[in-house]
Amino acid sequence: TPSRKANTGEEGTGGAGQRVSVLLPLPLEGAYDYRLPPGLVAGPGSFVEVPLGGRVSLGVIWDAAPDAAHVAERRLREVIAVKPAPPMRPALRQLVEWIAAYTLSPPGAVLRMAMSAPAALEAPAQASGWRRVRGAEARITPDRARALAALGEETLPGTEIARLAGVSLGVVRGLASVGLIEPALMPRAAAFPRPRPDFAPPVLRPEQEEAAAALREAVAARRFGVTLLQGVTGSGKTEVYLDAVAETLRQGRQALVLLPEIALSTQWLARFERRFGAPPALWHSELSSRTRRVTWRAVAEGDAPVLVGARSALFLPFPDLGLIVVDEEHETAFKQEEGVIYHARDMAVVRARLEAATCVLVSATPSLESVANAEAGRYRRLGLPVRHGGAAMAEVSAVDLRQHPPERGRFLSPPLVAAVTETLARGEQAMLFLNRRGYAPLTLCRACGHRMQCPNCTAWLVEHRAQRRLLCHHCGHTAPTPAACPECGAEHSLVPIGPGVERIQEEVAELFPEARRLVMASDTIPGPAAAAEAARQIEDREVDLIIGTQIVAKGWHFPHLTLVGVVDADLGLGGGDLRAGERTMQLLHQVAGRAGREDKPGRVMLQSFSPEHPVMQALIRDDFPGFLKAEAAQREPGHWPPYGRLAALIISSEDARAAERGARELGLAAPVGDGLQVLGPAPAPLALLRGRYRHRLLLKAARGVKVQPVLVDWLARVQLPREVRVQVDVDPVGF
Ligand code: ADP
Ligand code: ZN
């Protein structure tokens, strides 16, 4: 339970009333005590308005009977109002506390994620309309008669009556003025139609049915359990977990599906609607505030039976959550790196436990973490070994760039160009994948060697030629591409180094002028509408060549796409990150999975300077299990995750020296003990980020060690100046 504090310095009025502690959605240490005046009815979980300093804040009653030791009765201030919303259930409050304790975040900062639509706490406004006044009579025009007939016995908005009857709104007003209709509240329509579990289920293949039956049984048991559902891309995993969603609906509970790129998942949504006869509720950062409010409220009242969302959906107030699916569970998009640093996949497991729900982790290339959990018997494992409909996996080969260099100033090798030519000649589609937005990752002055660098980050500025600007992909800093070198003043001396997707599209335009091209990157496909339109163009064969970043890797099903060319397969492998190999493997496997999804066989070509690298070899031999085994063998002896625990401290300051000093002091106070090891301090991978200098310490611990108390002790031993910030990242993914 969070610690408690006096609410403010001010005096309360004293007198009768129940003492309650209220957690506020702010990064404060603990809950504050207030008095609940006798007129208000509230209990644990109630949303309340309380005074805080000179303002009014929303909060949640965390403890309805706290002990009185902390704050004198007469100093308590009063709860102002209780919100007319369903109280926060114990399971969600426990999740807030659990995450706060695990990530070492203030509980209020976690609570804030569960209060993401404050407007939803007001009683939903009930729209008003018109209904007939019984027994009233008056002489009426034909228009008015039509309007009355259209209204019938219902209550409808005036505009709706006018539309149905084909008359003007004035006619409806006329009816009111002669007393034939009266205002009335509209019955509340359900915000989300109920998906129907048996609307249009597919006939599952025997191995799909076997996995689905196991999941149905798990859902029906209404007990906590985690299943890792693994199967190659296109093997029918989605159909299997949708069957578990159907069972959850039959059980009368709610289902939550987490997707890594929800705004781009238009094909997934269309498929859901075909399967269930109704769309799911959605939750992601692009929603309008009105939709957020309506959705949050519908979830709280049990009126959103299935919700599909980004990681933040994990904090929605489901009254009876029976299933959580994490699709593409290996995706780093599930890790939140700002504010409360948490991994939504791991917290989905925690929430499922608190809700006595089934959790299903889905991937073609599961994380080593989940595989280790399955091997240790903590998770159940279900597998789908082959693609649906007998489609073969694409044949993967490497193009050794040392033997087949592209022409000068080009990035596509002769074998890849030849393959694209053949594919287009057959009337099929090809995709070129490069995980880099913009035109060129580096702009260099030919005269003096100056590199265009972000003023706020240890990062180069990326040229975006279409906008004629340079852009930092870390902090968003942007400036027009200068005509002259800012260092030496030489004119026309700045040259692009290396490719981004824009530059590949330029090369392709010269090589294949007839081909219809589409660039898919987060700046050209900014949201759901653009994604849906891009998917339609590709499905309808209005596009021959797709050039894309990682957004083309995810989940798409393009039946006519038979060739995938990976422009730079080595891209993710540098940098000394523990998971670089695993992540590159997962991404490239997913990209490769786009090719040859139906009857035409697919082909994948990896341009690489090191085709002998284990990642390339595993892709070529389609040996993901072998790759996992090799990774495990590398990590296990040194107790690297998942065979040990890891936490990072990022020490940062706008003052370079203060950051360094802070890191050194923390380093000197490093914990010692059995199974503990501290690495660093060292400059963090982005040594300067958004104007803050960053250093890092890593705490490595044996699997059995709880790192949180060790970290709390460590941090308490060192007093750092205010301008130095320490961020704790338990289970860091990029290091
Ligand atoms: P995954 O999620 O493993 O990538 P999907 O569930 O997307 O695989 O299935 C791949 C394709 O096969 C999709 O077009 C899907 O609709 C189709 N499919 C899968 N299982 C069946 C089935 N039992 N009956 C009909 N179509 C299926
Ligand atoms: Zn920057």
Side-chain angles (χ1 to χ4, degrees):
T1 311
S3 64
R4 280 158 50 225
K5 292 264 167 69
N7 52 26
T8 66
E10 285 171 52
E11 295 281 304
T13 49
Q18 178 196 349
R19 176 190 290 261
V20 292
S21 78
V22 174
L23 188 62
L24 303 168
L26 300 166
L28 305 164
E29 253 337 291
Y32 286 175
D33 282 8
Y34 289 91
R35 183 175 42 246
L36 189 64
L40 295 183
V41 182
S46 291
F47 291 96
V48 291
E49 264 175 18
V50 293
L52 180 72
R55 296 183 308 134
V56 174
S57 173
L58 270 176
V60 175
I61 296 186
W62 217 248
D63 190 346
D67 67 61
H70 293 265
V71 192
E73 201 68 37
R74 62 183 173 74
R75 287 189 52 201
L76 288 182
R77 299 177 74 191
E78 282 192 345
V79 171
I80 298 167
V82 180
K83 290 292 171 186
M88 185 177 282
R89 290 174 46 253
L92 188 47
R93 281 182 278 137
Q94 284 163 19
L95 182 75
V96 168
E97 289 187 5
W98 201 96
I99 295 181
Y102 191 82
T103 62
L104 299 186
S105 307
V110 183
L111 176 66
R112 192 170 173 160
M113 300 193 288
M115 290 178 63
S116 48
L121 301 174
E122 309 300 331
Q126 216 167 330
S128 69
W130 300 95
R131 72 168 169 231
R132 279 180 93 142
V133 178
R134 283 190 189 285
E137 283 184 30
R139 284 204 15 209
I140 51 173
T141 62
D143 270 2
R144 287 182 181 180
R146 270 216 300 284
L148 272 187
L151 177 59
E153 295 304 310
E154 289 180 70
T155 301
L156 293 175
T159 47
E160 184 65 8
I161 302 170
R163 192 184 65 80
L164 287 171
V167 300
S168 73
L169 207 53
V171 176
V172 179
R173 281 193 215 104
L175 281 172
S177 69
V178 297
L180 283 174
I181 60 173
E182 63 186 358
L185 288 179
M186 306 258 298
R188 258 192 35 226
F192 299 95
R194 284 194 75 78
R196 286 147 60 189
D198 303 306
F199 184 75
V203 180
L204 298 177
R205 300 195 311 277
E207 67 265 34
Q208 276 179 312
E209 174 52 30
E210 200 178 310
L215 289 183
R216 283 200 304 270
E217 201 180 302
V219 168
R222 293 169 169 256
R223 272 197 313 270
F224 167 62
V226 186
T227 298
L228 175 60
L229 176 60
Q230 186 181 351
V232 298
T233 51
S235 59
K237 300 184 292 300
T238 309
E239 299 295 351
V240 169
Y241 76 67
L242 289 181
D243 196 65
V245 169
E247 181 62 24
T248 311
L249 290 170
R250 285 184 211 109
Q251 296 283 333
R253 304 183 86 186
Q254 294 97 42
L256 165 64
V257 180
L258 298 181
L259 297 180
E261 290 276 4
I262 177 74
L264 301 178
S265 303
T266 51
Q267 283 186 328
W268 191 99
L269 293 171
R271 181 161 161 194
F272 183 96
E273 198 165 342
R274 285 198 299 275
R275 165 74 177 78
F276 290 100
L282 289 182
W283 190 262
H284 55 81
S285 59
E286 316 274 304
L287 296 180
S288 70
S289 57
R290 181 180 175 279
T291 307
R292 288 179 92 72
R293 169 167 53 80
V294 170
T295 306
W296 196 96
R297 188 74 186 206
V299 170
E301 293 177 347
D303 288 338
V306 183
L307 185 131
V308 180
R311 58 182 184 231
S312 56
L314 205 53
F315 297 94
L316 287 171
F318 298 96
D320 189 13
L321 192 57
L323 174 71
I324 307 178
V325 177
V326 185
D327 200 355
E328 311 290 6
E329 66 90 33
H330 61 274
E331 278 286 341
T332 47
F334 287 123
K335 178 84 191 287
Q336 173 154 304
E337 300 283 6
E338 306 266 290
V340 178
I341 299 179
Y342 71 96
H343 202 305
R345 180 233 297 141
D346 300 342
M347 299 311 136
V349 172
V350 175
R351 179 143 195 201
R353 181 164 54 72
L354 295 170
E355 302 276 358
T358 297
C359 185
V360 186
L361 308 179
V362 186
S363 177
T365 52
S367 60
L368 212 53
E369 273 72 12
S370 295
V371 171
N373 277 323
E375 275 167 6
R378 284 184 286 269
Y379 298 172
R380 172 176 196 166
R381 202 168 186 179
L382 297 171
L384 296 176
V386 297
R387 272 191 161 179
H388 181 75
M393 291 306 289
E395 190 198 303
V396 182
S397 63
V399 178
D400 190 334
L401 290 172
R402 293 164 304 194
Q403 286 168 27
H404 305 282
E407 283 174 39
R408 227 183 110 77
R410 303 264 174 142
F411 301 95
L412 303 180
S413 63
L416 181 54
V417 172
V420 172
T421 310
E422 285 163 25
T423 305
L424 296 181
R426 276 199 303 270
E428 295 165 5
Q429 292 167 329
M431 177 189 279
L432 296 173
F433 172 77
L434 176 62
N435 200 13
R436 214 186 245 150
R437 285 184 288 144
Y439 187 82
L442 168 62
T443 302
L444 182 94
C445 173
R446 237 183 345 218
C448 74
H450 176 71
R451 295 159 178 227
M452 298 296 291
Q453 178 134 17
C454 176
N456 314 317
C457 306
T458 320
W460 295 330
L461 291 173
V462 178
E463 182 185 358
H464 286 248
R465 191 159 281 193
Q467 290 104 292
R468 301 216 179 96
R469 295 187 82 81
L470 300 173
L471 180 70
C472 172
H473 287 181
H474 294 284
C475 73
H477 171 86
T478 165
T481 311
C485 173
E487 189 68 18
C488 71
E491 297 212 10
H492 309 296
S493 68
L494 293 174
V495 288
I497 306 291
V501 278
E502 286 180 20
R503 198 167 187 186
I504 298 302
Q505 114 81 22
E506 190 181 274
E507 181 170 338
V508 161
E510 286 170 27
L511 289 167
F512 309 100
E514 308 288 293
R516 296 161 300 173
R517 301 170 304 275
L518 178 70
V519 176
M520 290 178 76
S522 55
D523 42 355
T524 62
I525 308 282
E533 174 56 14
R536 187 201 62 73
Q537 286 179 15
I538 298 169
E539 285 165 19
D540 292 350
R541 310 178 87 156
E542 291 172 19
V543 168
D544 305 307
L545 251 169
I546 303 147
I547 302 113
T549 63
Q550 43 100 15
I551 73 166
V552 301
K554 313 255 161 79
W556 304 99
H557 182 76
F558 298 134
H560 313 293
L561 179 69
T562 57
L563 174 69
V564 169
V566 177
V567 176
D568 183 357
D570 309 327
L571 186 59
L573 290 175
D577 181 332
L578 175 75
R579 291 185 181 83
E582 186 185 352
R583 258 199 314 249
T584 303
M585 172 81 208
Q586 286 157 345
L587 180 61
L588 295 186
H589 183 92
Q590 211 165 22
V591 182
R594 299 315 108 209
R597 307 246 324 164
E598 289 190 358
D599 45 350
K600 296 172 213 132
R603 224 176 133 184
V604 178
M605 298 174 80
L606 309 170
Q607 294 198 139
S608 169
F609 282 102
S610 52
E612 65 286 349
H613 193 284
V615 167
M616 305 307 146
Q617 285 302 313
L619 286 163
I620 291 165
R621 293 202 303 261
D622 190 20
D623 184 15
F624 184 65
F627 172 79
L628 281 181
K629 229 183 249 150
E631 276 286 309
Q634 264 186 17
R635 292 192 210 172
E636 207 162 358
H639 302 289
W640 291 99
Y643 309 100
R645 300 200 172 278
L646 203 62
L649 298 183
I650 300 283
I651 303 99
S652 71
S653 170
E654 288 175 11
D655 176 346
R657 285 228 298 282
E660 203 195 331
R661 217 178 305 122
R664 211 169 39 229
E665 270 179 54
L666 270 169
L668 290 173
V672 282
D674 253 7
L676 293 181
Q677 191 188 354
V678 172
L679 310 171
L686 276 159
L688 176 64
L689 179 64
R690 294 191 193 94
R692 299 184 71 88
Y693 294 88
R694 292 155 29 103
H695 291 261
R696 191 181 62 181
L697 284 150
L698 282 175
L699 172 68
K700 213 166 110 193
R703 224 200 122 87
V705 175
K706 266 201 154 181
V707 294
Q708 286 81 3
V710 176
L711 290 166
V712 168
D713 264 13
W714 185 4
L715 293 169
R717 281 200 298 276
V718 181
Q719 277 298 322
L720 294 174
R722 273 172 50 117
E723 71 267 21
V724 177
R725 190 161 71 202
V726 181
Q727 263 186 315
V728 182
D729 185 354
V730 178
D731 309 328
V733 293
F735 60 90

